[in-house]
Amino acid sequence: MALDIGILGYRFMGKAHSNALARLPMFFPDAPEINRHTLVGRDEEALAEAADELGFEHTSTEWADVIDEVDAFYNLGPNHVHAEPSIAALEAGTPVFCEKPLAPTLDTAEEMRDAAADADVPAGNAFNYRFVPAIQYAKGLIDDGELGDIRQVRGSYLQDWLVDPEAPWSWRNSKELAGSGALGDLGAHTVDLARFLAGDAAGEIARVSGHLKTFVDERPVEGEEETREVTVDDAYTAQAEYENGATGTFEASRVADGHKNDHTIQIHGTDGSLKFSLERLNELEYKRADGRGYETILVTDGSDPYVEHWWPPGHVLGWEHTFVHENYEFLSAVRDGEEFRPSFEDGYEVQRILNAVERSDESGQWVEP
Amino acid sequence: MALDIGILGYRFMGKAHSNALARLPMFFPDAPEINRHTLVGRDEEALAEAADELGFEHTSTEWADVIDEVDAFYNLGPNHVHAEPSIAALEAGTPVFCEKPLAPTLDTAEEMRDAAADADVPAGNAFNYRFVPAIQYAKGLIDDGELGDIRQVRGSYLQDWLVDPEAPWSWRNSKELAGSGALGDLGAHTVDLARFLAGDAAGEIARVSGHLKTFVDERPVEGEEETREVTVDDAYTAQAEYENGATGTFEASRVADGHKNDHTIQIHGTDGSLKFSLERLNELEYKRADGRGYETILVTDGSDPYVEHWWPPGHVLGWEHTFVHENYEFLSAVRDGEEFRPSFEDGYEVQRILNAVERSDESGQWVEP
Amino acid sequence: MALDIGILGYRFMGKAHSNALARLPMFFPDAPEINRHTLVGRDEEALAEAADELGFEHTSTEWADVIDEVDAFYNLGPNHVHAEPSIAALEAGTPVFCEKPLAPTLDTAEEMRDAAADADVPAGNAFNYRFVPAIQYAKGLIDDGELGDIRQVRGSYLQDWLVDPEAPWSWRNSKELAGSGALGDLGAHTVDLARFLAGDAAGEIARVSGHLKTFVDERPVEGEEETREVTVDDAYTAQAEYENGATGTFEASRVADGHKNDHTIQIHGTDGSLKFSLERLNELEYKRADGRGYETILVTDGSDPYVEHWWPPGHVLGWEHTFVHENYEFLSAVRDGEEFRPSFEDGYEVQRILNAVERSDESGQWVEP
Amino acid sequence: MALDIGILGYRFMGKAHSNALARLPMFFPDAPEINRHTLVGRDEEALAEAADELGFEHTSTEWADVIDEVDAFYNLGPNHVHAEPSIAALEAGTPVFCEKPLAPTLDTAEEMRDAAADADVPAGNAFNYRFVPAIQYAKGLIDDGELGDIRQVRGSYLQDWLVDPEAPWSWRNSKELAGSGALGDLGAHTVDLARFLAGDAAGEIARVSGHLKTFVDERPVEGEEETREVTVDDAYTAQAEYENGATGTFEASRVADGHKNDHTIQIHGTDGSLKFSLERLNELEYKRADGRGYETILVTDGSDPYVEHWWPPGHVLGWEHTFVHENYEFLSAVRDGEEFRPSFEDGYEVQRILNAVERSDESGQWVEP
């Protein structure tokens, strides 16, 4: 029997997930069958158009009506509408898949985590980069002990869409609507990836020192004469120490000219090192214990994670394939009543760390998450 | 009214095109509506399973029954079955989209070209790499004269799936079934790309010198005790001279250890240079007239070819997106009764050049295509 | 009249500078003539051998006898012997060229700076990486305003010679002898480079947060049964804020497996970006205001800094050439009675920042240098 | 007892070798002692100035007077003056080190080879790129069988100093003075490197097909109103077949915009692959039998060829170091009465192949060297 899916949100993430759902049958025949059942939004006209484009059977302007009608509820709206519908759905016993970051504030994230803990269904936080084949392959190397003990972690997420002071104001520049800027939007990805890759080997991040920076204080409002205040960071930097003593550095920027979506992570262990860059997401750089330098691996072999579902070796995948993989895993977990990770718990842990970065920025001291 | 599509072939290419058709509505809303109408094959059981997986309404083991029932006929079978159904379809006035290379022999390719010339409908040869955004962007630079006069073209397609002498024999190792080896399979792509990029500026390839090489003469047959003869090339090299005097070098290999799908093309003009590699298909290396070195451009901006249909800047595309783009263009041409390129004429011209490479290999002399 | 040079120290740095002196006449004919006059050390036998190898006329075990006999005194010994001879030489009116870092402690560095301020002769601190042609070229771009306002600086110096816990103890692992570990040895280079490149545009580093880490607490003593304590850092990380509000991140490691001498610096401005890596020291990556990505510039043209003294375009230079360039500049300043930079003042400023990193590590707070 | 060296030629190559001789004592203490004895040239004034700059004791305008006064005679003049003095020196029993290519014509090269065969002293042809540590390391890998049987060789040498049609005419554009253009100047290097690396494993090049191209037919004469004809190639391409059946492609260009000194060689074997680029001469890309991609090796470890003579790991060498290494080997052979390679025999073999490329270009057929 097919799973009915309800999705709140029909912009960037709505499309990315709808596309993923649409592609599952052809490439992951063992995934649960699904119906794109109801698309939820506020603007009826835009909603109807989106439902048509994204292949949904129904629309609704009331998420509350949808959450117990569907077999899984996807919350893909802006950060500030993550909590209420997600919690309500979980309380109704409906599995939830929520975009990242979990919530605009740590308190709200905690409520969501608690709701998930009380529910008996999967509650996933959609950190899609865990599902890049090269990242899964890297995780396998670390789990197999190929890197030895983890000593250093380095994560960076560079974009440049706000280089220009005249780039227009958007909700992503508002603390109220977005929670934070580069830190929450980009840093959440980096911290989740670091936890995924290094967390089992190095433990949690035990303390951080952080710095947030807004380079452009106000930005023009598109189509209007006025400017509006930028109340979030354009960039952040952070240092970290792990439970096992490993060190970490993290940063993100929306003003790093020349970088579009340059999410990199690098890990040094006692026996080897790894480097990954999202702009070349089919590749992993791997320094082996018996190697002399980094080996550039094109992670597109049939034996690589998820690759046999797609194309022959060397036929590279794109960014959107990560959504197919995460939907496959989430929906399989829903069907089988199994755990899915990254969970709300994972999302909360990420936010504990981001929150600590913010607190450290305010206090000028190292703080524990 | 939707276009009914019939597809012959349901393996690698069948899946690549079916996937492309399935993705058009969400990402190219101005593409014609289509029905995946009939899937054609020989083995009824496998065909039924494939039709289910690839989303076809009907199946047929007789292409002859299908060609005038559909609004476009896709011939995605092995090379040796390209000609008859394609010609029949064209004679029936049905648009045809045929995989590359056009035919196992130049004579057959000529018949197909002639059939296309006599027909009043699009006859496309599916060289998908023309539809990589970075390649379209490169073509724009050349057309705008940014490279000046074209002087040198360099194309190379390296794979390594036949490095091992114990890699099993397949139809791709048979002259009878495949026509040629690396030359036809890989070289066809390179020559088409070279024609597309440099052809308007440098003219056609006027003469070539070629060399074909089979490194492993016989290969084991999977599941059997015997070996079978390899009657095609494992690798070829070629030199070329263009009508405008530009020089070219081309090569392909299936035994280039460390290379999975490494299709590169490089062009030097009087004012600049370009480099492209399929394994990093979102990137273009561009040496501008006023630059000092190659600039690495991530061709994922909204203003780049086809990109606005997909994701924001820096969210990289994969190999399969080229099929969506070419299907969009082909089906738009079918709907609008317009020309589509690469056409059968283009495919024939590619094969004239490949044939000249083979003739040159036999004669030890430069030959004209 | 030739300048008589006295050099204290005949190991790694002694050789690097002696080689540089030996090469000046052929490549920098307008440099002052020099005599490699006296080599200073403690072990007479080793000293005699070194003097022969490095081309010195005399040897001495007493630096005090040498400092007023020569026209310039090079202090290339270990950090803990930098101060006394350098100060004495300056007090004697002899120009001094001292290896980096200036001193093992900030107090000592301050004394050296003061001695230099009181002297009327050049006192240079030998940060050779300022003299890489690509770095000088980068500095020119920044000075010309090509990057606009500086917003972000990122410096990293990765080595791996201490990855193995069994790598033997040396004076570089001792706080008493070396002052600090990766921080002073490698971080000094990075901070100097950052000051050189970004200092005029972004001002000084106004505050830092730092973290030092020793991964291997004791190491075996070569040729003995015992181990000795490691009292310096194996790695450090730091965040910084500049006077103009720019942010910085800095780090170094001696345990970054796969990295031999990987000193990188990256700068983002409002109009462009730069990247440099010491392991590819002939190259500069430059994102121009009107460019779409980083351009890889081989900085070996005749018009590039220092290059016309060497070879035609594309004939790459090595690490040691930086010493020739800095000796050329230092000795020209000595001859002409002009200022030389990096000066003791520069060296002191670097150490103020490194000291602040250490203090921050101890206090867990951001501190001002 | 020191070896007296006489050098004919004091421009680019004269300086490169003089510098190498000057550096031997400090870095290769076991090299023979040498005197830079006599510098030979035609223009007395320029010669005197050069002798001063390059450190020679004497000058002479008559090579014939010099060849039996010295212990080794270096012929570093333009190609067309290689033969007569070299042969005379060999007949006088004086070891000769001659720049590449050996001679402007194959006949002359043969005479030189014969003179060398009759002499009982080393006759070296100065192909310096054999002496890059990364190349020596690569040769070691091949000799150790790490690549298995050699199947494909690919060599390319790209420069761009003649991109501009207004770049002035020089002797390098004259067939009479230079013998050939890109083919002899650059192709000689590539073919020698290919022979060095692959020759023992794959045998000699058995046949070639070549193509020469002059893009700019006449060039302005500097400081004059007139233009002069270009009688050599701006670029060549070639295909090759080795004795063992391996295939090769070779090319060079002086009009490859964006490439300064981009000499690359790549080799595929049954068990692995290698890639090298002169612009990154400290690096070797190596695909091992048990690897998944190319490993980027910084060939600067103490255990790497020649490296222990220089600096610690990661302190990169430059182009000129290759001259130090080759002089070390040549002079050691002179002192010890041993063979030196690349020899005149090697130089002749290279020219046989280049000559075959030219003959093939003329005949339009494959030819044997």
Side-chain angles (χ1 to χ4, degrees), chain A residues 8-295:
Chain A
L8 185 163
Y10 49 80
R11 300 204 188 281
F12 183 17
M13 284 301 112
K15 191 162 184 176
H17 284 276
S18 297
N19 175 53
L21 294 175
R23 307 189 67 195
L24 281 174
M26 198 180 288
F27 293 93
F28 289 77
D30 63 327
E33 259 186 83
I34 63 104
N35 297 325
R36 279 169 271 168
H37 189 275
T38 303
L39 192 65
V40 181
R42 283 177 305 187
D43 177 333
E44 289 201 11
E45 195 176 340
L47 185 62
E49 201 179 315
D52 186 52
E53 180 197 354
L54 303 180
F56 278 79
E57 294 161 11
H58 311 286
T59 63
S60 170
T61 56
E62 298 295 334
W63 57 258
D65 297 345
V66 176
I67 53 174
D68 47 14
E69 259 184 21
V70 293
D71 298 310
F73 179 72
Y74 282 41
N75 192 334
L76 313 178
N79 306 350
H80 64 103
V81 297
H82 282 179
E84 200 186 350
S86 295
I87 291 171
L90 288 169
E91 286 174 352
T94 302
V96 174
F97 204 24
C98 182
E99 261 306 320
K100 44 63 55 183
L102 202 53
T105 69
L106 183 59
D107 284 348
T108 313
E110 193 172 5
E111 288 168 36
M112 293 173 75
R113 180 203 59 172
D114 291 345
D118 291 344
D120 200 24
V121 292
N125 198 187
F127 284 107
N128 60 307
Y129 296 144
R130 289 195 183 200
F131 299 93
V132 174
I135 290 292
Q136 295 270 332
Y137 182 72
K139 172 66 169 161
L141 291 172
I142 292 171
D143 285 354
D144 291 349
E146 297 290 345
L147 260 62
D149 297 331
I150 302 305
R151 281 175 171 166
Q152 300 190 273
V153 177
R154 194 175 295 121
S156 167
Y157 203 142
L158 305 182
Q159 299 186 337
D160 67 3
W161 57 286
L162 290 181
V163 161
D164 186 352
E166 299 304 311
W169 191 94
S170 77
W171 69 270
R172 289 181 185 275
N173 294 118
S174 156
K175 186 161 185 63
E176 197 185 349
L177 299 179
S180 71
L183 179 67
D185 183 23
L186 307 178
H189 272 305
T190 312
V191 169
D192 181 68
L193 215 46
R195 287 186 76 245
F196 175 61
L197 288 172
D200 291 330
E204 289 288 348
I205 288 173
R207 58 190 196 103
V208 298
S209 166
H211 182 36
L212 274 66
K213 177 71 191 175
T214 306
F215 290 104
V216 178
D217 291 328
E218 52 184 8
R219 293 186 172 276
V221 181
E222 212 151 31
E224 298 180 29
E225 291 289 310
E226 54 166 341
T227 61
R228 204 166 294 169
E229 202 186 350
V230 174
T231 49
V232 299
D233 55 294
D234 290 326
Y236 85 95
T237 64
Q239 302 170 89
E241 188 168 56
Y242 282 78
E243 283 174 342
N244 81 336
T247 63
T249 60
F250 299 99
E251 74 169 300
S253 176
R254 290 166 165 176
V255 299
D257 195 21
H259 300 258
K260 293 299 166 200
N261 205 20
D262 191 11
H263 191 196
T264 63
I265 193 154
Q266 186 167 18
I267 297 176
H268 301 302
T270 49
D271 290 341
S273 296
L274 289 172
K275 275 194 282 189
F276 170 80
S277 165
L278 183 62
E279 290 183 355
R280 290 179 175 170
L281 67 77
N282 293 277
E283 301 179 16
L284 185 72
E285 303 276 317
Y286 175 31
K287 163 68 178 60
R288 301 196 266 175
D290 67 343
R292 290 196 53 184
Y294 285 87
E295 186 180 324

Side-chain angles (χ1 to χ4, degrees), chain C residues 23 280 311 316 319-320, chain D residues 23 283 311 316 319-320:
Chain C
R23 308 189 67 194
R280 290 178 175 170
W311 314 107
V316 297
W319 168 83
E320 70 189 52
Chain D
R23 306 190 67 195
E283 301 177 17
W311 314 108
V316 297
W319 169 83
E320 69 189 52

Side-chain angles (χ1 to χ4, degrees), chain C residues 73-93:
Chain C
F73 179 72
Y74 283 40
N75 191 334
L76 314 178
N79 306 350
H80 65 103
V81 298
H82 281 180
E84 200 186 352
S86 295
I87 291 170
L90 288 169
E91 286 174 353

Side-chain angles (χ1 to χ4, degrees), chain A residues 12 15-19 22-23 25-27 29 36 53-55 129 157 159 260-261 278-283 285 296 298 300-301 309-321, chain B residues 12 15-19 22-23 25-27 29 36 53-55 129 157 159 260-261 278-283 285 296 298 300-301 309-321:
Chain A
F12 183 17
K15 191 162 184 176
H17 284 276
S18 297
N19 175 53
R23 307 189 67 195
M26 198 180 288
F27 293 93
R36 279 169 271 168
E53 180 197 354
L54 303 180
Y129 296 144
Y157 203 142
Q159 299 186 337
K260 293 299 166 200
N261 205 20
L278 183 62
E279 290 183 355
R280 290 179 175 170
L281 67 77
N282 293 277
E283 301 179 16
E285 303 276 317
T296 304
L298 198 64
T300 59
D301 278 0
H309 290 273
W310 300 104
W311 314 108
H315 293 72
V316 297
L317 300 183
W319 168 83
E320 69 189 52
H321 292 80
Chain B
F12 183 18
K15 190 162 185 176
H17 283 276
S18 297
N19 175 55
R23 304 190 68 195
M26 196 180 290
F27 294 93
R36 279 169 272 167
E53 179 197 355
L54 303 180
Y129 296 145
Y157 204 143
Q159 300 185 337
K260 293 299 166 199
N261 204 21
L278 183 62
E279 290 183 354
R280 290 178 175 170
L281 67 77
N282 293 277
E283 301 177 16
E285 304 276 318
T296 304
L298 198 64
T300 59
D301 279 359
H309 291 273
W310 300 103
W311 314 108
H315 293 72
V316 297
L317 299 184
W319 169 83
E320 69 189 52
H321 292 80

Side-chain angles (χ1 to χ4, degrees), chain B residues 147-230:
Chain B
L147 260 62
D149 297 330
I150 302 305
R151 281 174 170 167
Q152 300 190 274
V153 177
R154 194 174 297 121
S156 167
Y157 204 143
L158 306 182
Q159 300 185 337
D160 66 3
W161 56 286
L162 290 181
V163 162
D164 184 353
E166 300 303 310
W169 190 94
S170 77
W171 69 269
R172 290 180 184 276
N173 294 119
S174 155
K175 185 161 185 64
E176 198 184 348
L177 299 179
S180 70
L183 179 66
D185 182 25
L186 307 177
H189 272 304
T190 312
V191 168
D192 181 69
L193 215 47
R195 287 186 77 244
F196 175 62
L197 288 172
D200 292 330
E204 290 286 349
I205 288 173
R207 59 191 195 102
V208 297
S209 167
H211 182 37
L212 274 66
K213 177 69 191 177
T214 306
F215 291 103
V216 179
D217 292 328
E218 52 184 9
R219 292 187 172 275
V221 181
E222 212 150 30
E224 298 180 27
E225 291 290 308
E226 54 165 339
T227 63
R228 204 167 294 169
E229 202 186 349
V230 173

